Amino acid sequence: MAYKWESNIRKVVPYVPGEQPKDKNIIKLNTNENPYPPSKKVSEMVENADFDILKKYPDATAGELVEKLAEFHGLDKSQVFVGVGSDDVLGMSFMTFFNSDKKVIFPDITYSFYPVWCDLLKIPYETIPLKEDFTIDYEEYLGECGGVVIANPNAPTGILLDKEKIIKIIEANPEVIVIVDEAYIDFAPEGSSCLDLIDRYDNLLVVRTYSKSRSLAGIRIGYAMGNPALIKYLNDVKYSYNSYTMNVPSIKIGSAVIDDDEYFKGTISKVVKTREWFTEELGKLGFFVLPSSTNFVFASHKDKAAKDIFQEGKNRGIYIRYFNQPRIDNFLRITIGTDEEMKKLVEFLTDYLK
Ligand SMILES: *Cc1c(COP(=O)(O)O)cnc(C)c1O
């Protein structure tokens, strides 16, 4: 050990996000950002901004944004919690709700930040293997546990779990909190969300983000919706840790874009259309593609190793995501970009795989 104090500090192996290359010419399909610009409400907001307000602290409750989100989703503001991206919301939720000696459970293949928060916060957990077809075996989530986390649709598989099965999980676990991470739900068929269940189940927390469907990964806004008692406990922890997390520009911009629903829906339908076209193209090129309800696809080629395709893509300036992890190390996670970007990727693959 290098230092005398080594054994007394908190150590954790951090989550590793996808690369953010500086070169603007790169086709960047590795972190599930939206290829389309955010709503014009953002530039309007910035142009007309009164910068004098920045001398003051923000509203610690982010009241304006909470109210807008509540109105947009037809909820009361006591049912909404906002944070600095859904990573912040999820981290706070793990800290608040997972405080039992029993193990928190989530799939073996899912958002790789979940085990990191458990390690950091010393929360016992167990991962439950996805089935062979990469779907979630919901029956494995009905026993006693310290809490449940389900990304729905799941990442990086892109597969959506039936709401009926999630209901069974929620009903089997009334004594613990079930977190449904809906980072990609806006790209899934209508009616897939668990949001309408929060009035019925006081142990359900639904988490959303502006990063993917709203083209605002850079603004850092995420939010959770659930029973007012859950939201209160979440706020108690947040105010005991760092009160002023939401900055003024984020609160303002986050509130403004909510009104631009038409643009939001238009962007999503473009991404979904490109996803369907691209999935077909991948099939023609010899890829096996999992059924995606997100803005990315998870695919494996019949002959060529995923790692080699990933590396060659990178050499040619096309970034996709490769996970060197058991079970999925022959898969590639490819974000849906613009039609033009996806055509360039298809050209590269056609050339490389011939
Ligand atoms: C992208 C992502 C998040 C985090 O998004 P933020 O940018 O922090 O809002 C959370 N969960 C899943 C499953 C994601 O893919």
Side-chain angles (χ1 to χ4, degrees):
M1 275 194 191
Y3 300 101
K4 285 186 181 159
W5 40 258
E6 284 276 2
S7 62
N8 292 317
I9 63 163
R10 190 181 296 264
K11 297 189 196 75
V12 65
V13 180
Y15 169 77
V16 184
E19 278 178 86
Q20 293 291 354
K22 292 264 169 353
D23 184 349
K24 282 238 167 73
N25 297 315
I26 276 165
I27 297 183
K28 197 176 168 306
L29 307 171
N30 67 334
T31 52
N32 295 345
E33 289 135 335
N34 199 307
Y36 299 105
S39 160
K40 287 209 172 58
K41 302 267 181 187
V42 176
S43 49
E44 280 170 27
M45 185 52 81
V46 173
E47 273 158 29
N48 302 321
D50 167 15
F51 295 108
D52 208 41
I53 57 172
L54 292 179
K55 70 188 179 197
K56 289 196 194 148
Y57 280 104
D59 168 13
T61 69
E64 184 183 347
L65 181 56
V66 166
E67 254 172 65
K68 277 279 183 183
L69 286 167
E71 189 188 303
F72 179 72
H73 290 294
L75 303 171
D76 187 81
K77 56 187 198 309
S78 63
Q79 295 173 290
V80 181
F81 172 87
V82 300
V84 185
S86 54
D87 284 344
D88 178 39
V89 174
L90 288 161
M92 284 288 135
S93 300
F94 275 52
M95 201 192 293
T96 309
F97 301 123
F98 299 154
N99 197 28
S100 138
D101 297 332
K102 296 191 185 108
K103 288 173 180 164
V104 169
I105 52 176
F106 45 83
D108 62 337
I109 309 292
T110 189
Y111 188 38
S112 51
F113 222 138
Y114 303 154
V116 176
W117 285 311
C118 287
D119 288 337
L120 176 68
L121 300 166
K122 302 182 195 293
I123 298 165
Y125 71 97
E126 186 179 346
T127 59
I128 299 183
L130 294 179
K131 293 197 270 191
E132 276 299 299
D133 64 359
F134 292 104
T135 58
I136 288 172
D137 188 354
Y138 80 96
E139 292 184 338
E140 296 280 343
Y141 294 78
L142 307 180
E144 225 181 321
C145 67
V148 182
V149 191
I150 302 276
N152 197 45
N154 197 11
T157 64
I159 297 174
L160 183 75
L161 180 63
D162 272 4
K163 202 161 150 182
E164 291 311 310
K165 291 177 181 165
I166 297 183
I167 290 176
K168 294 216 168 78
I169 295 172
I170 299 167
E171 288 184 343
N173 289 285
E175 289 176 10
V176 295
I177 307 308
V178 176
I179 297 177
V180 180
D181 178 356
E182 295 193 337
Y184 300 101
I185 200 72
D186 294 318
F187 303 101
E190 225 168 300
S192 310
S193 171
C194 287
L195 184 55
D196 62 340
L197 302 174
I198 63 168
D199 285 326
R200 218 157 100 202
Y201 300 107
D202 54 31
N203 61 329
L204 168 65
L205 191 78
V206 174
V207 179
R208 298 269 185 100
T209 176
Y210 276 48
S211 297
K212 280 82 185 216
S213 56
R214 291 195 182 273
S215 310
L216 281 165
I219 204 97
R220 310 306 302 134
I221 298 177
Y223 56 106
M225 295 164 288
N227 182 283
L230 287 185
I231 302 302
K232 185 204 169 283
Y233 282 118
L234 205 40
N235 274 316
D236 285 349
V237 168
K238 179 224 163 122
Y239 296 134
S240 307
Y241 193 71
N242 184 1
S243 304
Y244 299 112
T245 55
M246 299 300 294
N247 65 65
V248 173
S250 293
I251 294 172
K252 292 276 175 206
I253 290 168
S255 305
V257 298
I258 288 288
D259 289 330
D260 203 356
D261 205 36
E262 200 179 326
Y263 178 76
F264 172 61
K265 294 213 169 96
T267 307
I268 290 165
S269 73
K270 276 200 276 190
V271 170
V272 168
K273 206 167 146 212
T274 307
R275 178 186 78 203
E276 297 310 301
W277 168 80
F278 180 66
T279 301
E280 238 173 76
E281 293 299 310
L282 283 181
K284 289 184 210 160
L285 286 163
F287 280 91
F288 165 64
V289 190
L290 296 184
S292 171
S293 296
T294 63
N295 67 335
F296 60 84
V297 295
F298 203 50
S300 171
H301 193 261
K302 62 181 170 54
D303 307 318
K304 212 50 142 189
K307 196 174 184 176
D308 295 342
I309 302 173
F310 159 77
Q311 192 51 54
E312 185 56 23
K314 197 166 163 176
N315 296 344
R316 300 199 201 182
I318 303 177
Y319 281 53
I320 54 184
R321 192 87 189 261
Y322 170 72
F323 300 92
N324 194 358
Q325 188 186 321
R327 293 191 77 187
I328 55 169
D329 59 0
N330 206 25
F331 277 82
L332 294 163
R333 194 196 67 189
I334 306 169
T335 305
I336 302 302
T338 60
D339 285 335
E340 196 190 338
E341 288 172 324
M342 301 323 277
K343 275 179 194 147
K344 285 199 179 132
L345 173 56
V346 169
E347 271 166 36
F348 151 59
L349 291 171
T350 308
D351 176 57
Y352 181 61
L353 297 167
K354 73 173 176 244

